Amino acid sequence: MSIEEGMAAPAFDLPASGGRQVSLEAMRGKPFVLYFYPKADTSGCTKEACDFQEALPALGSLGLDVIGVSPDPIKPIEKFAEKYGLSFPLASDAEKTTAGAYGTWVEKSMYGRKYMGMDRATFLIDAHGKVARIWRKVKVPGHAAEVLKAAQALG
């Protein structure tokens, strides 16, 4: 089953950087950005994380939090968050259950070889826990600004 805009966001409960725990339940009543990225401390993922970190004050002024999710274990995630001073939670979905629920753990193909991997995707979740916007196969340049614009439109 694939997720569509207007649907209830699938529940999640994951360990995150800074000794935090993030869950859909804890976010109830406030809108937030949930983005999935393939691997901590790789060039595209670093750029994306730093762009969201830069957009945090503007997103925060709209009452939005940001949560990043990758299949990495918590240790490399902690190092990544520290290295780039990322203050928002980066969650570890090592079991890939959350990625599966959001349809971001997908079959990929490189040089004719098929494998499972994380699709770069972003979900804007409204205060009622509904999916307001979905971006699939995200291209990093300008993405955080695009998410901010959509968040402003949420009102």
Side-chain angles (χ1 to χ4, degrees):
M1 183 194 98
S2 84
I3 291 197
E4 290 167 29
E5 293 176 2
M7 289 174 74
F12 62 90
D13 191 346
L14 300 167
S17 56
R20 295 172 280 197
Q21 192 74 18
V22 293
S23 69
L24 182 65
E25 198 46 48
M27 299 307 290
R28 276 264 179 260
K30 58 186 305 188
F32 66 99
V33 172
L34 185 67
Y35 83 94
F36 292 83
Y37 64 97
K39 191 162 179 50
D41 214 359
T42 53
S43 62
C45 297
T46 299
K47 172 90 178 96
E48 186 175 26
C50 291
D51 286 354
F52 273 120
Q53 180 67 37
E54 234 170 80
L56 266 189
L59 288 164
S61 72
L62 299 171
L64 267 92
D65 284 331
V66 173
I67 299 171
V69 180
S70 84
D72 296 311
I74 201 73
K75 246 186 170 45
I77 287 174
E78 289 283 9
K79 280 173 67 177
F80 178 46
E82 255 171 62
K83 183 174 176 181
Y84 294 98
L86 305 172
S87 61
F88 60 89
L90 292 176
S92 168
D93 185 20
E95 305 291 311
K96 294 135 190 122
T97 44
T98 302
Y102 281 83
T104 60
W105 188 249
V106 298
E107 185 175 82
K108 294 178 154 196
S109 170
M110 189 185 284
Y111 308 120
R113 187 178 70 85
K114 291 194 181 319
Y115 63 98
M116 295 301 287
M118 184 73 86
D119 226 5
R120 194 181 300 276
T122 302
F123 298 82
L124 180 58
I125 314 290
D126 71 16
H128 309 290
K130 295 237 184 289
V131 178
R133 275 293 305 273
I134 300 173
W135 292 266
R136 298 239 182 233
K137 305 214 179 297
V138 167
K139 300 281 178 258
V140 174
H143 179 60
E146 199 181 317
V147 172
L148 177 60
K149 199 180 291 176
Q152 288 165 331
L154 265 188

